[in-house]
Amino acid sequence: MRNTFGAFLFITDMTQAIRKWHMEKDEAVKATLQEEYFRTTAPEHLDVLQSHLKGHFFASSGVTFADFAIAIFLGNMLRRNAAALDKHAALKEHLERVNSLPGIKEWIARRPETEN
């Protein structure tokens, strides 16, 4: 991942891994697959993603569409597993930084609650 588009595309890989358990119909199997994802696959993906942060954002020039997409993805991840970013402080700070941007912060405060 040399640029923000690469970081954005990396979310596709992460999403494919999530689909294995997200689309599962059997709740017991789904729970097992989700636990396995957060124990093994997610930390590896988050390590790669975190290694590409360029200071405060994924581009050294400032916030881009990739930062917004990644923040949405990380927020959804935290809704499913509150500890998902515990070992990835830089990503957690990135999420908080993006969510605190003018306009974004206000939208988050008033947006409707949804599962996703």
Side-chain angles (χ1 to χ4, degrees):
M1 273 188 302
R2 291 188 170 176
N3 57 37
T4 56
F5 189 64
F8 176 75
L9 289 178
F10 189 66
I11 294 174
T12 303
D13 294 337
M14 296 176 75
T15 302
Q16 291 302 319
I18 287 172
R19 284 179 197 237
K20 291 178 185 175
W21 58 265
H22 187 70
M23 304 302 285
E24 176 60 48
K25 302 287 186 212
D26 184 310
E27 290 300 320
V29 173
K30 184 176 194 164
T32 300
L33 291 172
Q34 183 174 349
E35 187 277 329
E36 182 181 322
Y37 170 79
F38 281 109
R39 186 175 37 80
T40 61
T41 307
E44 293 171 4
H45 283 163
L46 293 171
D47 286 345
V48 171
L49 197 57
Q50 185 167 273
S51 74
H52 291 280
L53 266 173
K54 306 286 186 211
H56 293 302
F57 301 106
F58 281 90
S60 57
S61 60
V63 68
T64 68
F65 72 96
D67 295 290
F68 295 119
I70 290 166
I72 290 166
F73 181 87
L74 295 175
N76 286 336
M77 182 179 269
L78 285 177
R79 279 190 279 288
R80 289 175 171 74
N81 183 332
L85 297 179
D86 285 356
K87 294 182 180 177
H88 296 87
L91 289 177
K92 194 171 195 175
E93 291 167 8
H94 174 266
L95 173 62
E96 292 167 1
R97 189 174 301 108
V98 171
N99 287 348
S100 295
L101 290 170
I104 303 298
K105 184 177 181 177
E106 292 79 12
W107 166 247
I108 290 171
R110 70 175 193 272
R111 72 180 174 194
E113 287 294 321
T114 63
E115 182 181 331
N116 295 313

